[in-house]
Amino acid sequence: MTDLIRSARVRVESLDPAFDAAAAVWAERLNLPLGGEAELAMQLGPGGLQLVDLALDAPGPVRVDFVEGAVAHRRLFGGGAGQMIAKAVGLQPGIRPTVVDATAGLGRDAFVLAQLGCSVTLIERNPLVAALLEDGLQRAASDAEVATIVGRMRLVCGDAIALMSAWSDEAPQVVYLDPMFPHRDKSALVKKEMRLFRPVVGDDDDAP
């Protein structure tokens, strides 16, 4: 198992027999056991891929959804180019910079930038988080309303420092950084995600 999946024991499982074969593929890709004793599970079902804490008192699962939920609300009512993130990367009338989101996480900031017209390369070094992102992007690509947006998003799994050191494509105009830990947002949703991800992601020790 990769050392980027930290201390927690993680298994892969399907939520329906129809997804058994696809779950086996994910288990092989992530080098994780298919079933067995575990603390966390990467589950595959009709709603896509999700990560869940198997403890009895744990919060619900986390998955990437660019079509519905909080991301959809932000897409429809988030304030467009007036948002702080838009100003931070230099959006102006007629100017849509190319962006590398070097700490992609669950892709929400990258999705906002792509919605506003930027081409965004998402870099995520943790394989489990990258798998959730990949699954979310694939599902969104089949939705008529957001397919064009995610078409401007490209996911790369790996360490951003190493990848950018060997960058062969045209240099991005902006490198965006928002490390996962520590996180200042105290919303219930974020706290649930932070609790779930900390055992597998660890601290962003190189954030400074």
Side-chain angles (χ1 to χ4, degrees), residues 154-206:
R154 178 175 71 101
L155 174 63
V156 181
C157 183
D159 180 79
I161 295 173
L163 289 169
M164 288 191 291
S165 296
W167 201 260
S168 59
D169 296 335
E170 182 177 350
Q173 294 169 292
V174 175
V175 175
Y176 177 79
L177 297 164
D178 182 19
M180 185 173 287
F181 298 110
H183 208 291
R184 293 174 296 278
D185 190 328
K186 300 303 183 182
S187 73
L189 175 63
V190 169
K191 284 193 289 186
K192 179 181 80 169
E193 293 167 354
M194 295 306 100
R195 174 180 171 181
L196 187 58
F197 284 136
R198 188 176 287 276
V200 295
V201 173
D203 293 321
D204 282 324
D205 297 326
D206 55 358

Side-chain angles (χ1 to χ4, degrees), residues 4 6-7 11 18 28 33 55 58-59 67 87 92 125-126 133 142 150 155 160 167 172-173 175 189-190 199:
L4 286 176
R6 303 298 175 96
S7 59
R11 73 187 184 207
E28 183 175 358
V67 179
K87 297 176 181 179
Q92 298 179 28
R125 62 182 169 186
N126 185 272
L133 253 181
S142 63
V150 298
L155 174 63
W167 201 260
Q173 294 169 292
V175 175
L189 175 63
V190 169

Side-chain angles (χ1 to χ4, degrees), residues 51-64:
L51 179 64
V52 62
D53 189 329
L54 298 173
L56 293 177
D57 63 341
V62 169
R63 65 189 182 107
V64 172

Side-chain angles (χ1 to χ4, degrees), residues 21-91:
V25 172
W26 276 115
E28 183 175 358
R29 284 185 57 183
L30 296 170
N31 193 25
L32 293 173
L34 192 61
E37 293 293 324
E39 298 165 359
L40 304 173
M42 289 287 279
Q43 299 175 332
L44 185 63
L49 196 65
Q50 62 186 27
L51 179 64
V52 62
D53 189 329
L54 298 173
L56 293 177
D57 63 341
V62 169
R63 65 189 182 107
V64 172
D65 190 345
F66 294 119
V67 179
E68 299 178 352
V71 173
H73 186 274
R74 188 174 180 183
R75 170 169 58 88
L76 296 171
F77 307 108
Q83 298 176 75
M84 290 300 297
I85 187 174
K87 297 176 181 179
V89 302
L91 263 69

Side-chain angles (χ1 to χ4, degrees), residues 112-137:
V112 171
L113 294 174
Q115 179 195 349
L116 295 174
C118 296
S119 295
V120 187
T121 298
L122 298 82
I123 301 178
E124 174 52 50
R125 62 182 169 186
N126 185 272
L128 297 188
V129 181
L132 295 173
L133 253 181
E134 179 182 332
D135 177 72
L137 288 168

